[in-house]
Amino acid sequence: MSQLSVIGTGVIGNGWISRALANGWDVVAFDPALDAEARTRAFVENAWHALEKDGLAEGASVDRLRFAATLEEAIVGADLIQENVPERLPLKQEILSAIDAAAEEHVVIGSSTSGFKPTDLQQDCKKAPGRVIVAHPFNPVYLLPLVELVGGEHTSPALLEGAREDYQALAMRPLIVRREIEGHIADRLMEALWREALHLVNDGVATTEEIDAAVVYGCGLRWSLMGTFLTFHLAGGEPGMRHMLEQFGPALKLPWTKLEAPELTDELIDKVVEGCEFQAAGRTVAELDRRRDDFLVEMLTLTRKYWPEAEGLEGRI
C-alpha cells in the first residue's frame, strides 16, 4: 500500500489525486481553500469515467482520498509528496521548506512547477534539500504519462533513480532531464509553438480554429508517435536525417519564425478569446474535458501498441 500526499489541489493537484487513486494508492490532500475538498471530489468524479475506460488498478477507489486539516497532517505516512501551489517562486519556496521540515528524510518531494529550476526550489530547505525535485506532469495528469524529473545542485543521481521508480509506480513514464533549465524540455517546445501561434493570430494569417486544425490533422498526428526528430528523420527519405538537413537545413536561416512573443494587446487577447469561445461552441469546460479524455483513452490504447517495450526496443523511441 502506498500513500501520495498532495499539497495544493488545483487542476494539476487534482490530476495527481485522480491518477494515484486510479492506481490503487491512498491519497491525503491539503489545500487551505474552504471549498477545496468539494472541488476535488467533483474533479475526480468527472475524471473517473475516463480512468475506468483506461483500466483501474486493483484496489482503486475514490474512497481512498481524504483531506487533512494541516499541511503537516497531510504528509504523515507519505511515500511520495507532490507540491502544486501557484507558480510563484517565493510561495513555492515557503511551502517546500515547510514540507521538507516535516517530512521523513527518505521521502521524495516533487514539485509540479512548469518553469522553476530545482536548485531555486531547494533554496530554503534545510533538512534534506536534495530530495526536493521538479516532477513536472502534463494536463490531464490522470491520463498523460510523461513526468519530467529534474534534480538540483543537492540532488544525487541515486535519488533521481529512486524517484523514477516512485513515479513509475503511478504508471507514469518519467523522463530524467540531464541538467536543470527554466521550463525543462516539453514546456520550452510548447512555448515556441505557442509564440508562433499568437503571431499568426495577431498578424491575421489564421484564426485559432485554423491553427488548431493545422496541428490536429497534420503534425500532431505524427508527433503522437514519433516526436520531432524521428519525424524529420523520415522526411529525408532513405538517407534519413543527414539528407533532410542537407535539403532543408538552409531554410532555418530564413525569417519563417518569430520566437519572441507578440505584445499581448487588448485586440490580440480579444481575438484569441473570441476564437476559443467559437471553437467551444457553447460547451462547458467539463464537457470539453470529457471529450478530450475520451479521445486520449482511445489514443493511449493505440499508442501503447507502438511504445518501445511492445517492440522489444526498450531505451529507444
Side-chain angles (χ1 to χ4, degrees), residues 146-216:
L146 181 64
V147 58
E148 296 176 309
L149 303 182
V150 195
E153 65 180 22
H154 298 291
T155 306
S156 69
L159 187 138
L160 276 179
E161 284 301 322
R164 184 205 298 269
E165 295 177 4
D166 289 337
Y167 287 97
Q168 284 175 333
L170 283 168
M172 302 294 281
R173 294 180 72 86
L175 172 63
I176 294 180
V177 179
R178 294 174 180 268
R179 64 184 182 89
E180 56 182 327
I181 185 174
E182 293 90 345
H184 325 313
I185 297 174
D187 269 4
R188 294 179 75 93
L189 296 173
M190 291 190 296
E191 278 291 312
L193 181 61
W194 175 232
R195 289 186 179 96
E196 290 303 314
L198 288 175
H199 275 295
L200 291 170
V201 172
N202 194 51
D203 295 346
V205 175
T207 66
T208 61
E209 183 179 24
E210 291 162 350
I211 292 167
D212 284 352
V215 175
V216 169

Side-chain angles (χ1 to χ4, degrees), residues 86-90 92 111 113-121 134 150 180-184:
E87 198 80 348
R88 298 196 295 273
L89 184 58
K92 283 189 177 290
S111 172
T113 180
S114 59
F116 295 130
K117 295 193 292 186
T119 293
D120 295 330
L121 298 175
V134 167
V150 195
E180 56 182 327
I181 185 174
E182 293 90 345
H184 325 313

Side-chain angles (χ1 to χ4, degrees), residues 42-58:
F43 184 102
V44 173
E45 180 182 357
N46 195 54
W48 205 252
H49 86 288
L51 289 164
E52 287 179 321
K53 289 181 181 179
D54 198 39
L56 300 175
E58 183 178 353

Side-chain angles (χ1 to χ4, degrees), residues 53-54 220-222 224-225 294-311:
K53 289 181 181 179
D54 198 39
L221 289 171
R222 300 183 303 189
S224 66
L225 175 65
D294 287 341
F295 170 81
L296 286 174
V297 168
E298 293 187 42
M299 179 65 83
L300 283 167
T301 300
L302 173 63
T303 54
R304 284 188 185 113
K305 292 169 57 179
Y306 293 89
W307 282 356
E309 59 268 29
E311 301 176 348

